[in-house]
Every structure is written in structure tokens, then in C-alpha cells.
């Protein structure tokens, strides 16, 4: 479970403060996979980082009672000059996972072939995403924070991701940011709408998409 | 499932960063870890050449190499620690994506790596001298350890502060690098303070590194007692540096991990 109590977050920009959250409250129950929705630049990725604990709120309190992943995106977390394998070794160590087992799992899951021993900076964004996804699957999280990575890779990799999530649905939830409504609906039952600094929770994702579509038109 | 206690998480992270840093610190160069020894050796070799050309001998003890090692190594320990710690966050920004990785972890890992490298380099170079040049005994070994501890603390504090200040004023890093260069000649790497004219000595007395190098030599060489060294000043400077660095890190850098 993740709970936000009176959380505020803003960024100083050249044109004043950009507000992401203003005194926002939210309770995300266990056992629901949640889509994070909002217009471009509303702060969905920042919110995901606040859920993870990667970023601290300016004010308010965030509590977590599950093993939550780092925000899985194609961008961060990897050291470009180290190989995929060395990065996996690092991640396994900081999560206290078995290094050997994690490496074997990722080598099999991410299908990077010889690239697994090459510096991550030589990877395509799809390969980075596969690596990130592979490591996170090797470490048993109870909640996966996914930032736009399930859309990458070819069809066979996408169905592999879906199968991996399906397999652990009973013990792990997903909180997901994606621009594809189809992807969101195939993973999530519920949704959170981020709008003008406030959060609204929808138990049924269809209500959120309907509300969202109405708001945009 | 309850998460592991904070100190366990921190220890895991620091160890993981430390192991990764060992790769990235030395992996780039062709000689790898050997470079840690080659660098001080080049400094020592250049000074031996200059001293020999000028017909000068070591001001203390009978090994010029040992005299230079006890100046060059502490200098390099200090500058490397400052440099590496100041750039610890920039060089590992991607890792901050993991919630359990904090800026202090990144810096601490580099401090430990520098301390370990310094100890190994110093011990190995001294052993080389003992095996191939002059047999010697160290007068106060515990003082030698204390000096290296001070060097690491002073370097770490200065490095943390430099990192914080240059995150606000990016030019500071360059400015500080420019100050550091002449400092090499004012730290007693290749001379002892007693041989300086009094005016020069009065200026150098403000430099904590000069005190630490003199302290190291007076602890190292039997029969050499420096009238210049002020132990309390050296320790105080190191502690002030680290307290100032940590306070600046807390105060100036905002709560966001990516700022």
C-alpha cells in the first residue's frame, strides 16, 4: 500500500514555480494495478518517483508498506560505461538479492545476447528497457512502478512482459504511466488522474478514461 | 514483508557503489590499478632527477626517495580525495534513480576507496624503498596513521564542500583547481619548513597540508622533529572542513535528489 497525506511538490522554473502536487491525498490499496493518467507535463513521472521514494515531497508524508521497485524507465539507473551484466550485479547488490541468480535470470529474460557484456551506452532504448525490465523481474517486488517501458520492444517481448506480470499478479501490483490507453487497460483495473496538482482515484479504469476524455474535449 | 534496517541498506549500497567504483576508477586506463603507483612514482622520479642535477641531497634521513614519498603521497591522497568526492554525485547521477541510493552513499564509497588506495600505495612504496634502497624504521607508526586519517578527512570535507558549491556556482570547480596547483609548491612536498625563510614559513603556516606533511615526516623519520608543525591546527582544519562540507550539503542542496 502507498499513501500520500497532504503532499505538495513543485519545481522552480524560469517562469515561476511549476506545481505538481498541491496538498494531495491518496491511498492506493494492495491488490489493484493502477494507471497514472494526466496530460503531458502534469508530473506523472515525478509522481512515480515520489511513490518510489526516489524524490522527496516538499511537504507532506508518503508511507509505503510494500516492496516497491524503482521507477522502471528506459532512461535512468544504468551506468553507461559499464556492461549490462555489471549493472545487473550492482542492482542485485543494492537490493540484497542473490547476484548469481539475478544475472542468470536477466541473461535469459532480456534476450540481449552478446550485448549483455557490452557497455550500456551502446544499447538502443529498447534494449535498455528490456534490461531494466529483466532485473526488476528478477528481484521480487510487490509493486512495480512502470514508466513508459512496456510499449517498447517487439511484439514477442511485449507478450513476454505481459506473461511475466500475469504470472505474479497474485502477489504484485503495477503502477503504470503510458500514453497508450490499450496498454493501460490491459494491465490496470484502477486509475489515478493527476490534474492541476490534485489526485483523484477511480476504482474502475473505464470511469477514469471517460472522465479524462470529457475533460480534454 | 518488513524492509531491512536503514544501516543494512546503507551498507549494501556503499559496498555496491564501492565495488563498481573500483572498476570505473581504474578500468579506463591501460595499466589499471597500476596507475595508482605509477603516478606518485613519476612525481618522485622527476624530483630525484632535479635534486640530483642540482647536487642536493635529502634534508632529512639518507634516502631522497623516502623523503619525496612522504611528501608526494600525502599530497596526492588529498587532491585525489577532493577531486573524486567533489565529482561523486555528477559521475553517478543515474544511480540516484534507485530510492535507497543517496548522495552521501556515493561520496562515502569514493572516500573509502581513496583511503584504501592511499594506504596500499604508501605501504607498497615504502616497502620498495626498504627492499631495494635503504633499510629504515618508522619512529611513530600510530602518528603516521593519524596523519593519513586527517588527510582523508580534510580531503573528504573539502571535496564535499567543493561539490556543493560548484553545484550552485559551476565556475567554482575551475577556480579551486587553479588554486590547488600552486598549493603543491606551498605544502612542503619537496622541502621542509625549517629550511624556508621566516616570511615564507609564516605564510605556509596557514596551509594545513604543510602541517600534515611535516607531521608525517617527523613521525616517520627517526631523529627529525619539526619545530613548525602544529598538530592541533591540522586536526582542527580537517574537522572544520568535514563539518562545513556536510552542513553545506544539507543546507544548500535542495531536498530533491536530482537537483
Amino acid at each position: 500500500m502507498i499513501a500520500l497525506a497532504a503532499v505538495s511538490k513543485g519545481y522552480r522554473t524560469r517562469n515561476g514555480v511549476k506545481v505538481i502536487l498541491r496538498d494531495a491525498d491518496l491511498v492506493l490499496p494492495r491488490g489493484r494495478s493502477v494507471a497514472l493518467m494526466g496530460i503531458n507535463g502534469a508530473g506523472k513521472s515525478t509522481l512515480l518517483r515520489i511513490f518510489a521514494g526516489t524524490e522527496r515531497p516538499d511537504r507532506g508524508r508518503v508511507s509505503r508498506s510494500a516492496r516497491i521497485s524503482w521507477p522502471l524507465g528506459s532512461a535512468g539507473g544504468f551506468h553507461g560505461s559499464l556492461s549490462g551484466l555489471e549493472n545487473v550485479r550492482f542492482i542485485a547488490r543494492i537490493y540484497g538479492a542473490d547476484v548469481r541468480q539475478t544475472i542468470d535470470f536477466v541473461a535469459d529474460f532480456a534476450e540481449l545476447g552478446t550485448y549483455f557484456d557490452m557497455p550500456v551506452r551502446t544499447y538502443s532504448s529498447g534494449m535498455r528497457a528490456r534490461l531494466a525490465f529483466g532485473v526488476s523481474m528478477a528481484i521480487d517486488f510487490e509493486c512495480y512502478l512502470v514508466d513508459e517501458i512496456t510499449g517498447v520492444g517487439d511484439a514477442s517481448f511485449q507478450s513476454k512482459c505481459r506473461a511475466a506480470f500475469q504470472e505474479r499478479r497474485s502477489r504484485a501490483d503495477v503502477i503504470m504511466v503510458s500514453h497508450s490507453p490499450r496498454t493501460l487497460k490491459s494491465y490496470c483495473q484502477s486509475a489515478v488522474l493527476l490534474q492541476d496538482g490534485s489526485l483523484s482515484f477511480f476504482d474502475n479504469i473505464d470511469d477514469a478514461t471517460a472522465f479524462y476524455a470529457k475533460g480534454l474535449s | 514483508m518488513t524492509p531491512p534496517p536503514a544501516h543494512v541498506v546503507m551498507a549494501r549500497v556503499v559496498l555496491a557503489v564501492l565495488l563498481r567504483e573500483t572498476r570505473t576508477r581504474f578500468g579506463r586506463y591501460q595499466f589499471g590499478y597500476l596507475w595508482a603507483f605509477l603516478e606518485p612514482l613519476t612525481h618522485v622520479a622527476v624530483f630525484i632527477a632535479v635534486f640530483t642535477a642540482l647536487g642536493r641531497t635529502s634534508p632529512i634521513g639518507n634516502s631522497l626517495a623516502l623523503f619525496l614519498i612522504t611528501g608526494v603521497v600525502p599530497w596526492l591522497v588529498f587532491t585525489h580525495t577532493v577531486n573524486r568526492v567533489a565529482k561523486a554525485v555528477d559521475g553517478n547521477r543515474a544511480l540516484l534513480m534507485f530510492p535507497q541510493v543517496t548522495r552521501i552513499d556515493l561520496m562515502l564509497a569514493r572516500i573509502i576507496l581513496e583511503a584504501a588506495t592511499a594506504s596500499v600505495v604508501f605501504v607498497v612504496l615504502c616497502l620498495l624503498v626498504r627492499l631495494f634502497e635503504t633499510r629504515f624504521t618508522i619512529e611513530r607508526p600510530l602518528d603516521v596513521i593519524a596523519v593519513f586519517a586527517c588527510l582523508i578527512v580534510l580531503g573528504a570535507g573539502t571535496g564535499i564542500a567543493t561539490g556543493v558549491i560548484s553545484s550552485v556556482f559551476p565556475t567554482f570547480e575551475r577556480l579551486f583547481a587553479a588554486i590547488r596547483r600552486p598549493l603543491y609548491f606551498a605544502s612542503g612536498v619537496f622541502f621542509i619548513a625549517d629550511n624556508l625563510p621566516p616570511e615564507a614559513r609564516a605564510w605556509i603556516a596557514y596551509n594545513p597540508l604543510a602541517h600534515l606533511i611535516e607531521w608525517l615526516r617527523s613521525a616517520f623519520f627517526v631523529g627529525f622533529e619539526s619545530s613548525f608543525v602544529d598538530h592541533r591546527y591540522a586536526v582542527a582544519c580537517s574537522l572544520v572542513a568535514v563539518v562545513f562540507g556536510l552542513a553545506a550539503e544539507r543546507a544548500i542542496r535542495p531536498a530533491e535528489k536530482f537537483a
Side-chain angles (χ1 to χ4, degrees), chain B residues 21-121:
Chain B
E21 286 281 325
T22 318
R23 272 282 280 121
T24 44
R25 166 95 157 83
F26 301 103
R28 281 173 295 143
Y29 305 109
Q30 269 169 350
F31 298 109
Y33 208 88
L34 207 58
W35 180 244
F37 301 95
L38 290 179
E39 197 189 9
L41 280 177
T42 1
H43 287 242
V44 170
V46 168
F47 279 117
I48 287 182
V50 172
F51 270 59
T52 318
L54 295 174
R56 287 173 54 188
T57 52
S58 173
I60 35 174
N62 41 21
S63 164
L64 182 56
L66 207 55
F67 173 72
L68 291 168
I69 286 169
T70 52
V72 168
V73 174
W75 164 264
L76 288 176
V77 170
F78 171 74
T79 40
H80 283 324
T81 309
V82 173
N83 265 328
R84 301 282 304 161
V85 173
K87 296 201 177 87
V89 176
D90 273 342
N92 288 307
R93 200 162 285 275
L95 302 186
L96 294 177
M97 183 60 80
F98 301 101
Q100 65 271 56
V101 179
T102 66
R103 288 191 300 244
I104 291 292
D105 296 335
L106 300 176
M107 294 190 269
L108 191 58
R110 285 197 171 184
I111 294 167
I112 295 172
L113 183 59
E114 289 310 313
T117 308
S119 320
V120 172
V121 167

Side-chain angles (χ1 to χ4, degrees), chain A residues 9-11 49 52-56 58 67 69-71 76-79 81-82 86-87 90-91 93-96 142, chain B residues 1 4 9 12-13 15-17 19-21 23-24 91-92 94-102 250 255-258:
Chain A
K9 177 77 184 177
Y11 280 111
R49 288 205 292 269
T54 301
E55 222 160 311
R56 254 173 263 160
D58 297 337
R67 199 165 142 97
S69 80
W70 74 95
F78 295 120
H79 198 297
S81 59
L82 296 179
E86 286 167 320
N87 274 293
F90 174 79
I91 297 170
R93 281 190 190 123
I94 63 172
Y95 280 98
E142 291 161 320
Chain B
M1 196 165 113
V9 176
R12 266 184 203 162
V13 171
L15 182 69
V17 177
L19 290 169
R20 155 199 289 246
E21 286 281 325
R23 272 282 280 121
T24 44
N92 288 307
L95 302 186
L96 294 177
M97 183 60 80
F98 301 101
Q100 65 271 56
V101 179
T102 66
R250 260 282 129 149
E256 294 96 43
K257 282 178 80 181
F258 292 100

Side-chain angles (χ1 to χ4, degrees), chain A residues 1-7 24-30 32 34 51 61-63 65 175 190-192 199-203:
Chain A
M1 192 193 79
I2 302 176
L4 269 58
V7 168
D25 297 299
L26 181 72
V27 176
L28 294 179
R30 283 297 307 273
R32 313 285 296 167
V34 178
F51 285 160
R61 208 182 137 71
V62 182
S63 40
S65 62
I175 298 175
S190 305
V192 166
L199 298 168
S200 10
F201 181 79
F202 294 84
D203 198 49

Side-chain angles (χ1 to χ4, degrees), chain A residues 24-208:
Chain A
D25 297 299
L26 181 72
V27 176
L28 294 179
R30 283 297 307 273
R32 313 285 296 167
S33 283
V34 178
L36 218 55
M37 294 168 35
I39 56 166
N40 263 335
K44 298 186 291 288
S45 296
T46 306
L47 182 56
L48 217 52
R49 288 205 292 269
I50 289 176
F51 285 160
T54 301
E55 222 160 311
R56 254 173 263 160
D58 297 337
R59 277 193 309 281
R61 208 182 137 71
V62 182
S63 40
R64 311 170 185 85
S65 62
R67 199 165 142 97
I68 301 171
S69 80
W70 74 95
L72 303 171
S74 49
F78 295 120
H79 198 297
S81 59
L82 296 179
S83 71
L85 186 138
E86 286 167 320
N87 274 293
V88 171
R89 196 177 282 151
F90 174 79
I91 297 170
R93 281 190 190 123
I94 63 172
Y95 280 98
D98 184 282
V99 174
R100 194 66 253 166
Q101 260 176 342
T102 311
I103 289 172
D104 290 344
F105 183 94
V106 178
D108 178 59
F109 189 92
E111 298 171 20
L112 293 165
T114 51
Y115 270 96
F116 199 36
D117 292 313
M118 305 257 284
V120 166
R121 88 171 96 76
T122 64
Y123 287 22
S124 69
S125 63
M127 291 161 75
R128 272 170 206 251
R130 257 144 62 192
L131 183 64
F133 206 79
V135 202
S136 73
M137 284 291 142
I139 299 164
D140 243 335
F141 290 113
E142 291 161 320
C143 180
Y144 285 85
L145 304 174
V146 179
D147 193 350
E148 289 284 2
I149 63 160
T150 40
V152 298
D154 50 19
S156 82
F157 186 74
Q158 285 192 31
S159 62
K160 195 172 186 175
C161 290
R162 213 157 303 210
F165 267 126
Q166 208 57 256
E167 184 254 316
R168 58 192 74 198
R169 176 149 287 177
S170 57
R171 57 201 150 95
D173 306 324
V174 185
I175 298 175
M176 180 179 275
V177 173
S178 169
H179 283 288
S180 151
R182 259 191 39 226
T183 309
L184 288 178
K185 279 192 186 173
S186 69
Y187 281 94
C188 312
Q189 310 94 47
S190 305
V192 166
L193 188 59
L194 171 59
Q195 210 174 21
D196 302 323
S198 62
L199 298 168
S200 10
F201 181 79
F202 294 84
D203 198 49
N204 186 336
I205 187 170
D206 293 324
D207 298 339

